[in-house]
């Protein structure tokens, strides 16, 4: 009987080991190779090079630009429990809260069932700045002042926009590289105000000089200078069949021609005008830690990612006018992040923030009071 029971247990273990492990996913940044265009199929490797994937280049993403795909990834085999003395209980480890990354500003496109890869709209390294139409260096609203772009050899290094003063200070700092793309930069070009000189503005924002703008290029360029509702425009960018494109991209090419720009700009200013309501004053963290946390937890997820925390502290402490102090804040948050992200979830959960005496909130308050 004992032998039969042992054989049955071995068979059960074998069946268990043959079960497919739960599928996970990972996001990969894919740069469109030269000579390729939207609608074409591109093949790319995983970060380890062990797997190859294919997906279709999304509308509005041109050669040299980057988009993000979500691809399947097998869960690593479970680690066997350590040996313990006979008679001692083996306590299972508390599973960490692994929250999925925030959805980008634009929603994901339909899953490519043929390849398993799900392309999403182009995303910048600094998603918080993009989401709020702010300068990636200082978090100042782009439309609140002059904007600039980085050049190398007289040509733009990317389609990113920056607060002009912040970009000039960044260049003077001696870093010599774009803060987002890390490409070498040599100068800063002020972007003409589209309301004063539309043709000069077009020449700057038309990065490759082909006389047309992709939907993505157009939306980001408009958000950089006009006081408009960025969220609504992002929704339009995410939806290929949005009524905005039915009127202004009738051939569904994914591009807007220069001749269409004057009418489109006027239309966007009128239809997508910002309400300017705002969220009200920032709560005092020293007196209302939970209120402060909830104020910046804009999607009510119960957690704040690192860039959200940096932006929140920059806004709370009024550092936006000093790119140098913003960078110091970034470095500080990077240095202490692992201390307060106790569960390793890559975000600060509400309890990690509010924990009395040892949470991030009390540390920040103590720093402000003694700094």
């Amino acid at each position: 009987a004992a032998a039969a029971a042992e054989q049955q247990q071995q068979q059960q273990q074998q069946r268990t080991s043959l079960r497919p492990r739960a599928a996970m996913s990972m996001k990969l940044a894919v740069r469109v190779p030269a000579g390729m265009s939207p609608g074409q199929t591109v093949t790319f490797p995983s970060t380890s090079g062990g797997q190859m994937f294919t997906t279709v280049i999304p509308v509005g993403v041109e050669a040299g630009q980057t988009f993000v795909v979500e691809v399947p990834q097998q869960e690593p085999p479970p680690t066997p429990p350590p040996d313990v003395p006979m008679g001692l209980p083996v306590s299972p480890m508390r599973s960490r809260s692994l929250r999925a990354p925030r959805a980008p500003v634009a929603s994901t496109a339909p899953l490519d069932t043929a390849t398993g890869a799900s392309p999403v709209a182009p995303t910048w390294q600094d998603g918080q700045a993009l989401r709020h139409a702010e300068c990636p260096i200082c978090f100042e609203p782009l439309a609140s002042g002059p904007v600039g772009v980085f050049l190398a050899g007289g040509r733009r290094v990317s389609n990113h926009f920056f607060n002009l003063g912040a970009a000039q200070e960044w260049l003077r700092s001696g870093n010599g590289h774009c803060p987002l793309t890390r490409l070498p930069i040599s100068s800063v070009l002020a972007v003409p105000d589209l309301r004063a000189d539309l043709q000069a503005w077009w020449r700057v924002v038309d990065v490759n000089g082909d006389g047309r703008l992709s939907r993505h290029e157009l939306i980001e360029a408009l958000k950089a200078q006009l006081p408009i509702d960025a969220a609504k425009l992002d929704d339009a960018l995410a939806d290929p069949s949005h009524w905005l494109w039915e009127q202004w991209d009738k051939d569904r090419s994914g591009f807007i021609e220069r001749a269409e720009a004057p009418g489109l700009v006027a239309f966007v200013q009128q239809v997508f005008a910002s309400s300017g309501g705002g969220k009200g004053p920032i709560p005092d963290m020293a007196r209302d830690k939970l209120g402060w946390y909830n104020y910046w937890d804009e999607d009510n997820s119960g957690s704040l990612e690192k860039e959200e925390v940096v932006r929140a502290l920059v806004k709370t402490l009024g550092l936006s006018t000093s790119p140098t102090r913003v960078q110091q804040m970034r470095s500080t948050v990077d240095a202490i992040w692992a201390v307060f992200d106790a569960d390793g979830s890559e975000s600060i959960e509400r309890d990690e923030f509010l924990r009395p005496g040892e949470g991030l909130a009390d540390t920040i308050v103590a720093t402000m009071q003694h700094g």
Side-chain angles (χ1 to χ4, degrees):
E6 182 179 356
Q7 183 179 8
Q8 184 178 7
Q9 183 179 9
Q10 290 176 349
Q11 291 174 346
Q12 177 64 29
Q13 290 176 346
Q14 185 178 15
R15 286 195 296 269
T16 301
S17 65
L18 293 175
R19 290 174 185 166
R21 298 187 181 97
M24 299 190 301
S25 64
M26 59 181 174
K27 285 185 168 63
L28 299 176
V30 179
R31 184 178 296 276
V32 179
M36 300 198 71
S37 59
Q40 291 184 307
T41 299
V42 62
T43 301
F44 58 95
S46 64
T47 53
S48 64
Q51 291 177 283
M52 296 297 293
F53 301 99
T54 58
T55 190
V56 176
I57 302 172
V59 172
V61 184
E62 301 180 48
Q65 294 184 331
T66 300
F67 65 99
V68 176
V69 296
E70 186 173 350
V71 297
Q73 178 186 33
Q74 285 296 109
E75 183 180 0
T79 302
D83 293 334
V84 296
M86 183 64 68
L88 294 181
V90 181
S91 299
M93 294 178 61
R94 179 176 66 88
S95 62
R96 291 181 174 181
S97 172
L98 297 179
R99 185 169 64 87
R102 293 283 173 81
V105 176
S107 62
T108 56
L111 178 69
D112 183 345
T113 55
T115 63
S118 175
V120 299
T123 181
W124 296 352
Q125 177 180 338
D126 194 341
Q128 287 299 307
L130 172 62
R131 183 175 293 113
H132 296 90
E134 295 173 343
C135 171
I137 297 175
C138 66
F139 293 108
E140 278 286 286
L142 287 169
S144 66
V147 296
V149 294
F150 287 119
L151 305 180
R155 297 178 62 86
R156 288 182 62 181
V157 300
S158 71
N159 61 351
H160 302 140
F161 295 91
F162 302 86
N163 173 277
L164 181 60
Q168 291 170 336
E169 183 172 334
W170 180 273
L171 186 65
R172 287 194 298 266
S173 71
N175 178 284
H177 292 80
C178 171
L180 297 184
T181 66
R182 309 302 180 190
L183 294 173
I185 55 176
S186 57
S187 60
V188 178
L189 174 66
V191 179
D193 191 322
L194 63 86
R195 290 156 293 196
D197 192 342
L198 186 62
Q199 296 304 315
W201 171 83
W202 184 278
R203 286 193 294 271
V204 172
V205 300
D206 182 12
V207 179
N208 61 6
D210 64 354
R212 60 182 188 168
L213 297 179
S214 70
R215 294 177 181 180
H216 180 258
E217 287 178 309
L218 176 71
I219 293 298
E220 298 308 326
L222 294 179
K223 286 162 55 179
Q225 286 197 332
L226 299 178
I228 49 184
D229 192 322
K232 289 183 178 179
L233 275 178
D234 288 332
D235 289 342
L237 180 60
D239 182 4
S241 60
H242 192 277
W243 52 263
L244 177 65
W245 311 123
E246 291 182 358
Q247 180 167 349
W248 296 100
D249 184 20
K250 295 181 179 179
D251 61 359
R252 295 295 189 273
S253 66
F255 296 90
I256 307 300
E257 307 297 329
R258 181 183 304 187
E260 299 172 314
L264 176 58
V265 169
F267 179 81
V268 168
Q269 283 184 277
Q270 179 180 0
V271 177
F272 291 89
S274 174
S275 60
K279 295 173 54 179
I282 301 172
D284 185 336
M285 188 191 302
R287 292 182 296 181
D288 186 7
K289 298 180 182 65
L290 178 59
W292 187 92
Y293 188 95
N294 290 337
Y295 182 92
W296 296 109
D297 183 17
E298 296 177 329
D299 60 358
N300 298 315
S301 66
S303 62
L304 294 177
E305 295 175 355
K306 185 187 296 185
E307 195 65 21
E308 288 180 290
V309 173
V310 171
R311 178 176 180 269
L313 292 174
V314 167
K315 299 287 188 179
T316 299
L317 301 177
L319 307 181
S320 295
T321 56
S322 173
T324 299
R325 296 184 68 189
V326 172
Q327 290 308 112
Q328 291 172 346
M329 177 58 70
R330 287 186 186 277
S331 299
T332 299
V333 172
D334 283 339
I336 67 174
W337 188 257
V339 176
F340 297 99
D341 182 18
D343 63 2
S345 65
E346 299 300 328
S347 61
I348 295 293
E349 315 302 324
R350 188 178 286 111
D351 65 311
E352 294 169 334
F353 182 82
L354 298 174
R355 189 171 294 131
E358 57 182 27
L360 181 59
D362 282 342
T363 301
I364 295 172
V365 170
T367 301
M368 290 190 297
Q369 292 176 342
H370 296 91

